Amino acid sequence: MNNRKPPKDPKGQPPRKPRGPALNAEIQGVIGQQLRRMHDEVLKEGIPDRFAELLKRLDERDQ
Amino acid sequence: MSSKTSIREEMLAAVPKLRAFAISLSGNVDRADDLVQETLLKALANIDSFEPGTNMPAWLFTILRNLFRSEYRKRKREVEDSDGSYAESLTSPPEQMSKLELQEFRVALAKLPEEQREALILVGASGFSYEETAKICGCAVGTIKSRVNRARTHLAEILSIDSADDLGPDTSIRAIVVNNRR
């Protein structure tokens, strides 16, 4: 399997930063990026049929 | 269109975000979907307590979180996979490298204390403000800020501690965390 980053990834090797007591902005940025990617993967699945069907049934029941 | 119908459409539109949150809480896609369904039914049963024009997603998230805490915690404890093996059951379509990174990240996230994890997800992924998140979780804004900070620090530690495993030497999080610690 390909172990390298895809070329479109602009990050490359991270620059060295002096160690600080707080998380640096770079780590926070990467964590935020991963969180959003994880989230987006679920969003890409859209709305599963069961939910659309559930609300449709409720709509029909009311009419 | 009746207002009932438009409220239901608003609910339906919130389903993907609710699922993403429920998956991160319950650690299981099927259980997450059950949780979302219960949330929708409960919301509809209590629709009178929703003020039209206010934040529908935040209202639904609050219901989902409370349902999870009251009904699902015990069940979750019974079947907890603290090693994060649930993450391995989640499929992700993108290219190999990012899949690996994301999986590693999910496993790390699963190791966070629940209150830190939910705060981090709500702010960092679901897109709620600290104020909205505080309302959803029923606590002070300062508490949420501190949970999010601890969650980030904790995650960075976990990802760094795990850096000796066999997932490969150059995922970006690990590289940054390790460099930061030198």
Side-chain angles (χ1 to χ4, degrees):
Chain A
M1 286 294 157
N2 184 8
N3 236 0
R4 308 291 309 174
K5 280 188 179 309
K8 66 183 177 194
D9 190 326
K11 281 196 298 290
Q13 282 299 309
R16 302 209 168 172
K17 289 266 170 92
R19 185 169 61 173
L23 284 184
N24 69 24
E26 198 166 15
I27 293 177
Q28 295 209 16
V30 173
I31 288 174
Q33 204 177 48
Q34 295 290 77
L35 275 174
R36 285 188 297 274
R37 273 174 59 190
M38 197 183 73
H39 190 252
D40 288 347
E41 256 190 31
V42 181
L43 296 194
K44 269 191 266 169
E45 293 171 12
I47 302 171
D49 291 345
R50 66 185 276 188
F51 300 111
E53 282 161 13
L54 173 75
L55 293 181
K56 196 168 155 236
R57 274 203 308 278
L58 293 168
D59 270 344
E60 284 163 1
R61 198 191 59 187
D62 283 354
Q63 275 159 15
Chain B
M1 186 194 290
S2 73
S3 68
K4 240 179 191 171
T5 304
S6 82
I7 278 179
R8 282 175 192 165
E9 279 176 2
E10 252 189 280
M11 286 183 177
L12 203 54
V15 162
K17 289 179 86 170
L18 284 169
R19 289 183 77 227
F21 182 50
I23 288 170
S24 72
L25 286 182
S26 72
N28 175 299
V29 175
D30 291 332
R31 213 142 6 104
D33 281 345
D34 289 345
L35 191 53
V36 171
Q37 176 152 341
E38 276 183 67
T39 300
L40 295 177
L41 291 173
K42 184 158 190 191
L44 287 166
N46 293 282
I47 197 68
D48 291 344
S49 65
F50 175 72
E51 294 170 36
T54 62
N55 193 335
M56 170 69 85
W59 186 61
L60 294 173
F61 271 70
T62 308
I63 294 173
L64 189 146
R65 177 184 178 274
N66 289 341
L67 275 175
F68 174 74
R69 288 176 84 87
S70 61
E71 294 175 25
Y72 280 73
R73 275 182 110 177
K74 186 167 164 286
R75 263 172 80 189
K76 180 174 180 263
R77 234 177 283 125
E78 285 163 4
V79 295
E80 183 129 45
D81 56 354
S82 55
D83 60 346
S85 63
Y86 83 87
E88 285 153 32
S89 71
L90 297 175
T91 55
S92 47
E95 64 274 18
Q96 195 64 25
M97 190 59 215
S98 60
K99 187 173 167 182
L100 197 61
E101 274 183 20
L102 206 52
Q103 186 150 308
E104 184 186 7
F105 185 79
R106 279 201 186 101
V107 170
L109 195 64
K111 292 178 184 167
L112 291 185
E114 192 182 296
E115 288 183 338
Q116 291 180 23
R117 187 169 64 238
E118 71 179 6
L120 184 66
I121 299 279
L122 288 168
V123 170
S126 308
F128 288 110
S129 66
Y130 284 111
E131 287 74 16
E132 288 167 331
T133 301
K135 268 190 193 159
I136 290 170
C137 298
C139 62
V141 175
T143 308
I144 293 298
K145 285 184 178 168
S146 118
R147 282 179 189 167
V148 170
N149 283 336
R150 273 182 288 142
R152 287 189 177 126
T153 309
H154 206 139
L155 261 187
E157 278 168 13
I158 293 169
L159 289 162
S160 162
I161 286 163
D162 287 347
S163 65
D165 66 22
D166 58 359
L167 284 171
D170 62 351
T171 67
S172 58
I173 294 176
R174 177 179 305 144
I176 288 170
V177 171
V178 169
N179 275 338
N180 190 51
R181 290 174 162 242
R182 272 186 198 135

